[in-house]
């Protein structure tokens, strides 16, 4: 039988590939980690790590063991977390934010079912404008945010992708592109793009408002918008185009705007983000509730 300290030592070393960092994370000596791993290897009958003076690597057997054990270990930890939360009772106030209106609906639905099981909690939901980015999380104004990916800022934890939508181009109804069945990213070289203002990261901007087409042509910059209502106003006034989500055609219909599929663009993906240092049982429980929604 694999003992707990052996499991933790193996999985942590397989992740860190460094004895010193593994020992630091587990709060034991480097020698203790080395002894534990050697004992485990003797029991299995084959090396799990290749060690040199400069590196540590998993052997094929070690890699397979890691692949087999890690998901099960994660489920065990999650089960213990849920049991602990149930025993102590999840409580407190959670401030959740959203950007797209359909994500706001998802949060509201999840909050309803969550509060039915945890009446001692409070869930406050508010909209984050287009120029807000993840700043409300970093400024401790929100505890959780349902937003479009990617999010790669230090200090933030991202959950799994919870949904995706085909990407479209919002085009003035009188523009020649509006008569197309679909457009490509290279078509963006011919018309100014309305871009998002504010604190959105460079990686997020590059995905949603690229500066160049796939063929390398510069995409002209149009007006800068702080909210989606500003984007819609600029597009309907003929000042430029804007990438967006196909679902926006149902939530933001305007006679002056056509939603044209961007056939070679990746979908818009959405997920939850929260400050790593503030993670607690309430955040984890509500994130799980949001992820369970159909």
């Amino acid at each position: 039988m694999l003992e707990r300290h052996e499991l933790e030592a193996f999985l942590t070393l397989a992740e860190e590939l460094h004895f010193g960092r593994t020992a630091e994370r587990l709060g034991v000596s480097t020698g203790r980690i080395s002894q534990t791993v050697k004992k485990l290897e003797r029991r299995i009958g084959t090396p799990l790590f290749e060690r040199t003076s400069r590196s540590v690597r998993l052997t094929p057997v070690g890699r397979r063991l890691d692949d087999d054990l890690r998901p099960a270990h994660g489920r065990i930890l999650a089960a213990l977390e849920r049991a602990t939360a149930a025993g102590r009772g999840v409580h407190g106030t959670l401030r959740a934010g959203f950007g797209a209106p359909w994500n706001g609906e998802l949060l509201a639905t999840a909050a309803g079912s969550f509060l039915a099981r945890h009446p001692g909690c409070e869930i406050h939901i508010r909209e984050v404008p287009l120029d807000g980015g993840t700043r409300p999380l970093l400024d401790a104004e929100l505890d959780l945010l349902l937003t479009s990916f990617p999010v790669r800022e230090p200090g933030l934890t991202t959950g799994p992708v919870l949904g995706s939508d085909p990407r479209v181009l919002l085009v003035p109804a009188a523009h020649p592109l509006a008569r197309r069945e679909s457009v490509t990213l290279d078509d963006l070289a011919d018309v100014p793009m309305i871009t998002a203002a504010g604190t959105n990261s460079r990686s997020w901007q590059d995905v949603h408002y690229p500066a160049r087409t796939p063929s390398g042509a510069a995409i002209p910059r149009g007006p800068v918008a702080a909210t989606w209502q500003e984007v819609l106003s600029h597009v309907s006034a003929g000042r430029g185009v804007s990438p967006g989500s196909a679902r926006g055609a149902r939530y933001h219909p305007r006679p002056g705007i056509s939603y044209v599929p961007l056939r070679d663009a990746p979908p818009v993906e959405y997920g939850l983000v929260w400050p790593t240092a503030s993670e607690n049982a309430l955040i984890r429980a509500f994130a799980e509730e949001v992820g369970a929604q159909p």
Side-chain angles (χ1 to χ4, degrees):
M1 179 180 294
L2 189 64
E3 297 185 12
R4 179 178 176 180
H5 73 278
E6 293 175 324
L7 175 64
E8 291 179 346
F10 170 74
L11 290 176
T12 306
L13 183 57
E15 182 179 339
E16 293 287 353
L17 296 178
H18 189 281
F19 280 86
R21 290 194 297 268
T22 298
E24 184 177 350
R25 278 181 55 178
L26 297 180
V28 298
S29 68
T30 302
R32 174 72 179 275
I33 297 298
S34 180
Q35 292 170 5
T36 300
V37 171
K38 288 179 180 178
K39 180 181 177 182
L40 180 59
E41 289 176 326
R42 285 195 299 271
R43 184 185 308 171
I44 293 175
T46 187
L48 301 174
F49 297 92
E50 295 178 359
R51 309 162 177 82
T52 70
S53 59
R54 305 180 66 177
S55 68
V56 178
R57 294 187 301 175
L58 283 164
T59 64
V61 174
R63 188 175 300 107
R64 175 62 183 272
L65 183 62
D66 181 58
D67 290 341
D68 290 342
L69 288 178
R70 193 170 297 278
H73 184 247
R75 289 192 294 271
I76 291 171
L77 292 180
L80 290 173
E81 289 272 0
R82 288 192 293 270
T84 301
R88 296 177 178 174
V90 175
H91 62 278
T93 299
L94 182 74
R95 302 162 299 167
F98 67 92
W102 48 92
N103 286 337
E105 293 175 1
L106 176 59
L107 287 180
T109 300
S113 57
F114 183 82
L115 293 174
R117 290 198 304 274
H118 303 285
C121 297
E122 292 185 26
I123 308 292
H124 300 296
I125 300 172
R126 73 173 177 90
E127 183 178 8
V128 176
L130 183 61
D131 66 346
T134 57
R135 179 52 55 186
L137 292 174
L138 299 173
D139 290 344
E141 297 173 4
L142 288 176
D143 305 303
L144 193 72
L145 178 63
L146 182 52
T147 187
S148 54
F149 285 169
V151 175
R152 302 191 180 104
E153 283 93 332
L156 296 180
T157 295
T158 57
V161 173
L162 297 179
S164 66
D165 279 320
R167 204 175 296 262
V168 298
L169 191 66
L170 283 67
V171 180
H175 194 278
L177 291 179
R179 296 191 289 272
R180 301 253 199 104
E181 291 186 2
S182 64
V183 294
T184 69
L185 291 168
D186 280 319
D187 291 321
L188 298 177
D190 298 326
V191 60
M193 179 192 291
I194 297 158
T195 56
T199 60
N200 292 291
S201 68
R202 175 59 62 85
S203 60
W204 187 92
Q205 292 274 3
D206 289 343
V207 169
H208 296 281
Y209 299 96
R212 292 190 174 274
T213 68
S215 62
I219 299 175
R221 301 285 92 171
V224 175
T227 67
W228 266 106
Q229 291 303 317
E230 290 182 16
V231 171
L232 298 171
S233 296
H234 286 311
V235 174
S236 61
R239 299 190 183 101
V241 301
S242 175
S245 170
R247 219 178 319 188
R250 301 199 304 272
Y251 284 80
H252 303 297
R254 287 205 181 188
I257 297 177
S258 294
Y259 290 77
V260 185
L262 262 170
R263 64 176 181 267
D264 61 344
V268 183
E269 296 183 328
Y270 303 95
L272 291 169
V273 185
W274 58 90
T276 304
S278 302
E279 183 175 329
N280 55 33
L282 176 56
I283 289 175
R284 290 190 293 271
F286 187 67
E288 184 173 324
E289 183 69 42
V290 175
Q293 298 303 305

